[in-house]
Amino acid sequence: MNKKITTHTALKVENLSIGYFSKKNTTVIADGINFKLQQGELAAIIGVNGIGKSTLLRTLGNVQAKLSGSIQLDGKGLKSYTPIEMASTISVVLTEPLASKNLTVVELIALGRQPYTNWIGKLSETDKTKIQEAISMVGLQSLKNKKCYELSDGQLQRVMIARALAQDTSIILLDEPTSHLDLHHKVQILKLLKQIAHKTSKTILVTSHEIEMTIQLCDKILIMNKGSHEFGEPCELIQKKSFERLFPSDTVAFDPKTGSFKIKK
Amino acid sequence: MENTAKYKVSLLLLILALVICFVLNISLGSVSIPFKGTLNAILGRGVAHDSWEYIVWNYRIPKAFTAILVGSGLALSGLLMQTLFRNPLAGPFVLGISSGASLGAALLIMGSALISSLFSYGMVNDVSLAVAASIGSFSVLLVVVVVSYRIKDTMALLIIGLMFGSMTAAIVSVLSYFTDAEKLQQYIYWSFGSVGNLSWSQLLLLLIIILIGIVLSIISIKPLNAFLLGENYAQSLGVNLKRSRYKIIIATGLLAGGITAFAGPIAFIGLAVPHLTRQIFNTTDHKVLVPAVLVYGAILMLICDTIAQLPTSANVLPINAITSIVGAPVVIWLLVRKKKMIF
């Protein structure tokens, strides 16, 4: 499909086990996760509610600690990164609401430059150029000076993507970037992400419930199931009948020809 | 970004307003001194009456400086708390720091009367009161820091702060039920708040405390801005969450605790000033907001103090009442006008 000469591995996950530590016990949410993402790829993590998609994403973004296994960024272990190195390698777009919606669009995007600015956060000329690039890439020129509380959900999501872009990292992780959006805006966001990944050679990983859309738009898909996880290109996974196993067969059935789900009557 | 020049002009105008309020505050008081006489006294030129110079230098100027420190410090601590606790209604009172100070003061004034056989009666003076209030506010702060270490949820922290307030109020009412009228009156006078009783040396101590608070806030400007996105985002931007939270909490404690210790509880400045400042400076950037709330807080406190001393009359109204009378309508007005409170 895509002619990519560079096969530089950006993110490599081996035998990863994720979950939560507490004083008494460890709760394993998912284990045995293996996948590899190349530079410039758009990938999706799909699976039923509660399977651990967000937990995996948070673990990759170092928001929470892994239980065991290895995560390598550019061939280097996640642990060896300092917080600032980490912040200039991975940026995130989370589902949690903004603490302050009083930020203007440009102020919010400028915050993405924090890992690069001095102790008081003064923006250099480079910072300003990067912010400008992010704004024009996501097409927010006309919304630049709006406050975040004035924006629609779809607009706000694009602003958050622009902030991640301004952070100028090789990897961007997005937790359910298309939730709460209508069909048009879902497609708009995913297409935008694909365009960013291919144009800027950034590796983008999203969690999503939009299986049909991710089949059409993503380069790689990780299907999380109880027990086993499958990873590969969408066509491969269709051939392996991986999508059929995603939901109990008495509610929906996957149609490999159209790449969509049909409700069982 | 393009607005930096505009903000600088606004800040300069605010500083100018501060100077005017300062001179106005000094020239008005229970003894009527002509404006020219006040200016001459400030500038060290000869004045018609020696008593004027004495009043200006030993009463009015320390009081005006106290008002400036109190207003700036409370406003800054309010700003820090609103950002840290992601809550537009946060202020020094909400964390329970002021309640802790009140409890310390109440225990000293009324508690010492209850166990007067152990203590001599004369021990309650301004210094011991300040010490008791500081101990009270810092013990609460310590508890808050310990709790914030265990609970990541900032909403829970706010509720704990409110519970401290209720507990303090309860203990104070129990104490006041058993205490005699004279001691009760002394406590009530303290709780009125006052910026007028500080000597130059006490003022210096307060200045040092507030300067430390301001320095801690300035080095926290970058994490404060990151906290506007939320803590997980701040962490993803490379912010050391724990260390930044401690710095901000300690700054808040020093500012609010130190001020309450010296000037008594003063309501609404911490809550209202950051919101008023955002009306002029339409930004969330703490690089702009920190200096702006410092100046705005000082101006508002000077104005409240000028009203409180009822120029030309011998009476002085409780400053805590004035700040509430000015502050509460401001908060209501902001809510009604903007339909929601944001920070």
Side-chain angles (χ1 to χ4, degrees):
Chain A
M1 269 194 300
N2 302 299
K3 282 172 271 161
K4 269 200 292 292
I5 310 129
T6 49
T7 47
H8 171 70
T9 305
L11 178 67
K12 190 173 164 194
V13 171
E14 276 176 324
N15 211 15
L16 181 70
S17 170
I18 54 171
Y20 296 91
F21 286 113
S22 68
K23 267 179 199 154
K24 283 174 196 148
N25 48 9
T26 8
T27 318
V28 179
I29 294 196
D31 55 6
I33 304 167
N34 291 290
F35 67 92
K36 228 178 358 182
L37 293 181
Q38 307 298 321
Q39 197 188 350
E41 274 182 340
L42 172 65
I45 306 171
I46 59 171
V48 295
N49 285 330
I51 198 81
K53 299 186 296 295
S54 295
T55 313
L56 174 59
L57 207 72
R58 289 160 64 88
T59 312
L60 294 175
N62 214 13
V63 176
Q64 70 182 74
K66 64 182 179 192
L67 297 181
S68 65
S70 96
I71 303 170
Q72 290 196 326
L73 307 173
D74 294 326
K76 241 171 91 186
L78 196 65
K79 273 243 172 83
S80 63
Y81 280 77
T82 65
I84 292 293
E85 281 173 352
M86 189 70 201
S88 42
T89 311
I90 290 188
S91 54
V92 293
V93 176
L94 305 168
T95 44
E96 63 180 45
L98 284 171
S100 168
K101 289 212 166 183
N102 202 21
L103 285 155
T104 63
V105 169
V106 66
E107 278 177 331
L108 193 151
I109 296 171
L111 285 175
R113 296 304 297 170
Q114 276 219 349
Y116 309 96
T117 54
N118 66 358
W119 68 277
I120 204 162
K122 191 177 163 39
L123 297 171
S124 68
E125 285 308 312
T126 328
D127 294 326
K128 286 177 188 166
T129 319
K130 292 276 181 193
I131 293 165
Q132 209 44 56
E133 277 171 16
I135 289 173
S136 52
M137 179 120 210
V138 183
L140 290 168
Q141 206 53 252
S142 56
L143 299 173
K144 220 168 91 169
N145 294 313
K146 288 241 185 205
K147 295 270 187 186
C148 286
Y149 62 78
E150 296 173 303
L151 302 179
S152 69
D153 286 346
Q155 289 170 334
L156 190 59
Q157 197 57 262
R158 271 158 57 210
V159 174
M160 295 310 287
I161 292 170
R163 191 206 60 87
L165 269 179
Q167 204 174 327
D168 197 19
T169 55
S170 50
I171 298 168
I172 303 176
L173 306 175
L174 301 98
D175 196 4
E176 297 195 25
T178 56
S179 57
H180 307 300
L181 301 182
D182 61 41
L183 189 65
H184 163 71
H185 287 99
K186 277 180 201 218
V187 175
Q188 188 193 32
I189 293 285
L190 282 176
K191 278 178 109 172
L192 173 69
L193 290 173
K194 180 163 192 166
Q195 186 201 346
I196 292 169
H198 291 187
K199 248 194 194 166
T200 63
S201 307
K202 291 181 192 300
T203 307
I204 300 181
L205 181 60
V206 300
T207 61
S208 183
H209 285 294
E210 308 308 324
I211 299 162
E212 293 156 24
M213 272 180 223
T214 55
I215 288 174
Q216 292 179 56
L217 283 167
C218 293
D219 302 312
K220 297 276 171 63
I221 292 178
L222 173 70
I223 303 176
M224 290 180 80
N225 262 325
K226 276 218 175 72
S228 70
H229 314 291
E230 288 173 87
F231 177 74
E233 286 180 16
C235 327
E236 273 178 67
L237 292 169
I238 291 174
Q239 278 166 5
K240 284 204 282 182
K241 301 191 178 217
S242 305
F243 294 102
E244 274 91 331
R245 289 189 286 273
L246 199 54
F247 299 114
S249 54
D250 52 343
T251 49
V252 284
F254 185 74
D255 178 8
K257 275 189 215 110
T258 55
S260 61
F261 286 91
K262 294 276 179 302
I263 299 168
K264 283 247 174 112
K265 280 172 192 153
Chain B
M1 279 181 282
E2 301 84 32
N3 294 327
T4 321
K6 209 175 86 193
Y7 296 144
K8 273 185 188 150
V9 173
S10 304
L11 192 63
L12 277 176
L13 287 176
L14 266 188
I15 291 171
L16 190 70
L18 175 65
V19 174
I20 294 169
C21 286
F22 179 75
V23 176
L24 205 67
N25 181 278
I26 291 170
S27 64
L28 294 169
S30 29
V31 177
S32 121
I33 304 174
F35 187 69
K36 218 176 161 191
T38 319
L39 272 186
N40 284 339
I42 297 173
L43 298 169
R45 291 195 223 126
V47 282
H49 301 273
D50 283 347
S51 62
W52 287 2
E53 201 174 322
Y54 184 84
I55 290 172
V56 167
W57 275 101
N58 289 299
Y59 185 69
R60 291 190 184 175
I61 290 183
K63 185 162 69 69
F65 272 125
T66 312
I68 289 175
L69 289 180
V70 166
S72 308
L74 286 176
L76 180 56
S77 75
L79 175 70
L80 297 181
M81 292 171 78
Q82 287 172 11
T83 303
L84 183 67
F85 297 112
R86 290 178 256 132
N87 193 320
L89 288 173
F93 277 77
V94 183
L95 244 190
I97 291 173
S98 304
S99 313
S102 303
L103 186 61
L107 283 175
L108 178 78
I109 296 171
M110 301 194 281
S112 69
L114 289 179
I115 42 170
S116 54
S117 54
L118 293 174
F119 297 100
S120 63
Y121 231 64
M123 69 172 285
V124 181
N125 56 32
D126 287 346
V127 176
S128 63
L129 203 54
V131 171
S134 310
I135 292 172
S137 57
F138 273 83
S139 347
V140 171
L141 180 67
L142 214 66
V143 175
V144 170
V145 169
V146 171
V147 172
S148 75
Y149 183 74
R150 293 189 141 221
I151 304 175
K152 256 199 153 183
D153 183 11
T154 48
M155 208 57 180
L157 209 58
L158 278 181
I159 293 167
I160 289 166
L162 284 172
M163 291 303 111
F164 270 119
S166 309
M167 242 149 58
T168 310
I171 294 172
V172 169
S173 21
V174 170
L175 281 172
S176 48
Y177 184 77
F178 287 108
T179 199
D180 56 56
E182 189 198 339
K183 290 282 159 189
L184 189 59
Q185 197 183 29
Q186 199 182 351
Y187 173 74
I188 287 173
Y189 269 113
W190 178 82
S191 70
F192 281 162
S194 163
V195 290
N197 296 325
L198 265 67
S199 65
W200 279 105
S201 55
Q202 284 174 310
L203 197 55
L204 184 69
L205 186 59
L206 182 61
L207 176 71
I208 292 168
I209 294 173
I210 288 176
L211 280 181
I212 298 172
I214 292 176
V215 169
L216 279 173
S217 312
I218 290 173
I219 58 173
S220 301
I221 282 177
K222 207 171 151 180
L224 278 167
N225 282 335
F227 279 140
L228 292 172
L229 293 172
E231 292 194 345
N232 281 332
Y233 279 116
Q235 193 181 6
S236 84
L237 285 167
V239 171
N240 184 330
L241 286 187
K242 215 181 272 174
R243 203 188 299 158
S244 309
R245 269 157 62 107
Y246 278 156
K247 264 190 233 160
I248 297 166
I249 288 176
I250 290 170
T252 312
L254 282 174
L255 292 166
I259 288 164
T260 315
F262 283 104
I266 289 167
F268 277 104
I269 298 288
L271 172 58
V273 170
H275 291 289
L276 287 169
T277 309
R278 289 185 196 105
Q279 299 293 305
I280 303 178
F281 299 87
N282 193 17
T283 179
T284 48
D285 189 347
H286 288 80
K287 275 203 296 293
V288 178
L289 287 179
V290 168
V293 296
L294 285 174
V295 181
Y296 208 133
I299 292 175
L300 195 64
M301 199 64 204
L302 278 172
I303 293 173
C304 286
D305 179 58
T306 312
I307 299 170
Q309 66 199 344
L310 289 176
T312 70
S313 92
N315 294 317
V316 177
L317 296 176
I319 187 87
N320 196 6
I322 302 298
T323 55
S324 299
I325 289 171
V326 174
V330 161
V331 174
I332 294 170
W333 171 73
L334 282 175
L335 270 169
V336 170
R337 212 185 62 123
K338 303 191 85 178
K339 295 193 178 66
K340 57 184 165 193
M341 235 166 149
I342 40 176
F343 64 98

